[in-house]
Amino acid sequence: MFDHGFDPGYVFRHPVFLVTFIIAVPSWIIAFASQAAAEAKYSSGDGRTPVVNTLWFAIWIQLAVIIHLL
C-alpha cells in the first residue's frame, strides 16, 4: 500500500539537497586527493607507518554517507 523506499528524484527536485550534493562530491574528491598527497609527501619516523593512519577510515565513511544519501 505504501512505498517506503527512497526516491532519488527527491534529491533532484529540491534545490537545497541538490546544492548540498553538488558541494559534497567535489569536496570529498579534494579531501581524498589531499590525504593521498599528504601520505605521499610525509613519512613517519620509521618510514613504514602511515602518517594519516585512521583518517583513511573517515574518508571512506564520508563517501559511504554521500552515496547512501544519494
Side-chain angles (χ1 to χ4, degrees), residues 14-42:
H14 295 323
V16 173
F17 294 141
L18 183 61
V19 169
T20 300
F21 280 108
I22 289 172
I23 292 171
V25 172
S27 299
W28 183 86
I29 293 169
I30 291 168
F32 181 79
S34 300
Q35 191 165 344
E39 187 69 39
K41 184 174 182 178
Y42 302 107

Side-chain angles (χ1 to χ4, degrees), residues 27-28 31-32 55 57-68:
S27 299
W28 183 86
F32 181 79
L55 291 178
F57 180 71
I59 287 289
W60 293 113
I61 291 294
Q62 290 171 0
L63 179 63
V65 168
I66 290 170
I67 290 172
H68 179 72

